[in-house]
Each structure stands twice: as C-alpha cells, then as structure tokens.
Amino acid sequence: GESTLHLAQRIYNLLDEIKQESDHKTYILVAHNGISRMIQSYFTDMTNEEFAAFGIKNCELRKFEFPE
C-alpha cells in the first residue's frame, strides 16, 4: 500500500501541475473522501484533528481557486 505521505505528494504534484494552467483552464476532479481530504489540505491549513475529521457528503461539490 501507499503511505499517506506518498499519497499527499502525488496529489500535491497533480495540483501544482493544474495550477500552472489554471489561468486558462477549468478542471473538474472527481474523488472519494480520502482524496478530497488531501485536496482540502492543499488549499487550507489544517490541524491533524481537522484533517482526520474532514469529510465530504455524497455528491458534494467544492470549488477551489488558486491564490494569485
């Protein structure tokens, strides 16, 4: 299995790539709760407790924008 740190690095690398094209493209990412938690932590500072407690509802939509 993949460690949480390796998963985070893989997701963060993807988001860094998306950020480079975000001025002229829009992306839709479909993910389960674990991946959604990683994406949330990329955009939001979270404590360990907040990270562990984070979850999304079934079919929930979230919009993230990269800071300028």
Side-chain angles (χ1 to χ4, degrees):
E2 183 176 40
S3 73
T4 302
L5 289 176
H6 284 123
L7 172 64
Q9 186 63 63
R10 197 162 47 92
I11 299 301
Y12 282 24
N13 288 346
L14 171 65
L15 293 170
D16 287 343
E17 289 176 24
I18 289 172
K19 182 179 180 180
Q20 293 174 3
E21 298 181 350
S22 66
D23 289 344
H24 57 280
K25 287 186 178 181
T26 300
Y27 289 84
I28 296 175
L29 303 176
V30 179
H32 59 70
N33 218 21
I35 301 300
S36 297
R37 180 180 292 128
M38 288 297 174
I39 294 169
Q40 180 74 20
S41 73
Y42 181 91
F43 288 95
T44 308
D45 288 333
M46 301 170 79
T47 65
N48 287 338
E49 291 79 15
E50 291 169 332
F51 182 83
F54 180 81
I56 59 171
K57 296 177 183 170
N58 192 27
C59 298
E60 181 177 343
L61 297 175
R62 291 189 165 247
K63 181 177 180 179
F64 296 98
E65 295 187 19
F66 294 102
E68 297 292 324

